[in-house]
Structures are given as C-alpha cells and as structure tokens.
Amino acid sequence: MSPGLNLPSTNQLKDGLSRVFMAAHTQLFRRTGGRIGGKLGRAEMMLLTTTGRRSGQPRTTPLTCIRDGERFLAIASFGGDDRDPQWFKNLQANPDATIQVAGETVAVRASVATAEEKKALWPKAVAAYKGYDGYQRKTSRDIPVVILSRTGISST
C-alpha cells in the first residue's frame, strides 16, 4: 500500500453498499407498487419515510414489515451493527413518518417499545425474520423495536 492512500473504513463500505441497495430496492418497490421488492423471501417489506434530522429532507428505507394488529413494527437492527440505523435516529428526532406497504401509504407515529413491550413483541419480529435473533446476539446494543401507530388517513 502506498503512503497517503486513504481506504474507506469497514463502516464506510457497509454504509455505502447499504445506501445503494436501499435506493435500488426503494425504486423497484415504488415503480411496481410493491410487486417487486414488496417481499424479500417470505418477509413482507415496507418503505419507511422519515424526515432527516439534519437535512429536513424525506429519507426512505425499505424494512421488514411486521404487523401487530393495526400497528406496524420496525426493528432497528442495522444488521447487528453496534450503531443505530439512521432511520431510527431520524424517528427519535421526529416520530412522524409514513410507510408504504401493500399498495397503501399510511401516516404513522413512532414510539420505542419499552422493555416489557419488547419482550412481548420480539417473538413476532423473529417469526417475520429469523435473522433478528442472530443480530441481537452479534451486538451488545439492545436492538430497539419501534412501534408505528397509524395517525391519519391512508392513501392507495
């Protein structure tokens, strides 16, 4: 390696690849009304649109859609990384968001599940995507379960 060569860190590589994948997934999902990108394996997917905490701009992230009655759950796993995902930080700054799922756009408000709520909700998350258990074992961070409650009128 030559001196002065600045190679990206592992986190920078992971973050960059994640952004590219998420942008492609989001475009396919939106252009096809969820026919492509609406499922990943057996898991139903949703697009979560938050407001960027610094930019104020909309930021969209594809996530596993976990239904809990009229509510939706989002798991802030970031693949078992020791860092919280950006979408989670955005929701902490502004809990109002929208999700697009199954051809419907829903206004939601986010809240983080308490430890007691997480204990009840975590099995639903793992049933939707078994990888969440591995992610929790991989990190010392307690992976948050985010409850997305409907706040307004949905559109199709």
Side-chain angles (χ1 to χ4, degrees), residues 40-150:
L40 198 56
R42 292 186 348 221
E44 183 178 22
M45 299 298 291
M46 65 180 168
L47 297 181
L48 171 70
T49 301
T50 62
T51 301
R53 66 192 178 287
R54 292 187 297 240
S55 70
Q57 298 299 307
R59 302 291 183 215
T60 301
T61 306
L63 298 171
T64 302
C65 179
I66 304 162
R67 295 174 185 264
D68 183 48
E70 286 294 308
R71 307 181 310 178
F72 300 88
L73 307 177
I75 311 304
S77 65
F78 203 27
D81 198 287
D82 288 332
R83 302 169 294 156
D84 287 325
Q86 297 300 314
W87 64 262
F88 179 71
K89 293 176 184 180
N90 290 342
L91 286 176
Q92 288 178 305
N94 180 357
D96 293 319
T98 61
I99 60 169
Q100 185 179 345
V101 61
E104 180 181 25
T105 300
V106 181
V108 294
R109 174 160 292 142
S111 61
V112 177
T114 64
E116 188 172 302
E117 288 172 317
K118 180 179 177 181
K119 188 175 181 180
L121 297 172
W122 190 254
K124 289 182 182 202
V126 173
Y129 177 64
K130 298 201 182 320
Y132 289 134
D133 262 347
Y135 293 162
Q136 185 59 81
R137 284 192 303 274
K138 182 179 169 184
T139 183
S140 59
R141 174 175 68 90
D142 183 41
I143 295 176
V145 173
V146 179
I147 300 168
L148 302 170
S149 301
R150 294 173 185 263

Side-chain angles (χ1 to χ4, degrees), residues 7-63:
L7 296 175
S9 70
T10 302
N11 282 344
Q12 288 171 323
L13 284 172
K14 178 182 177 180
D15 294 351
L17 288 172
S18 179
R19 276 192 294 277
V20 168
F21 173 77
M22 287 189 303
H25 189 155
T26 298
Q27 288 302 313
L28 284 170
F29 190 110
R30 284 189 172 149
R31 288 182 182 185
T32 66
R35 287 186 310 281
I36 299 174
K39 285 204 176 266
L40 198 56
R42 292 186 348 221
E44 183 178 22
M45 299 298 291
M46 65 180 168
L47 297 181
L48 171 70
T49 301
T50 62
T51 301
R53 66 192 178 287
R54 292 187 297 240
S55 70
Q57 298 299 307
R59 302 291 183 215
T60 301
T61 306
L63 298 171

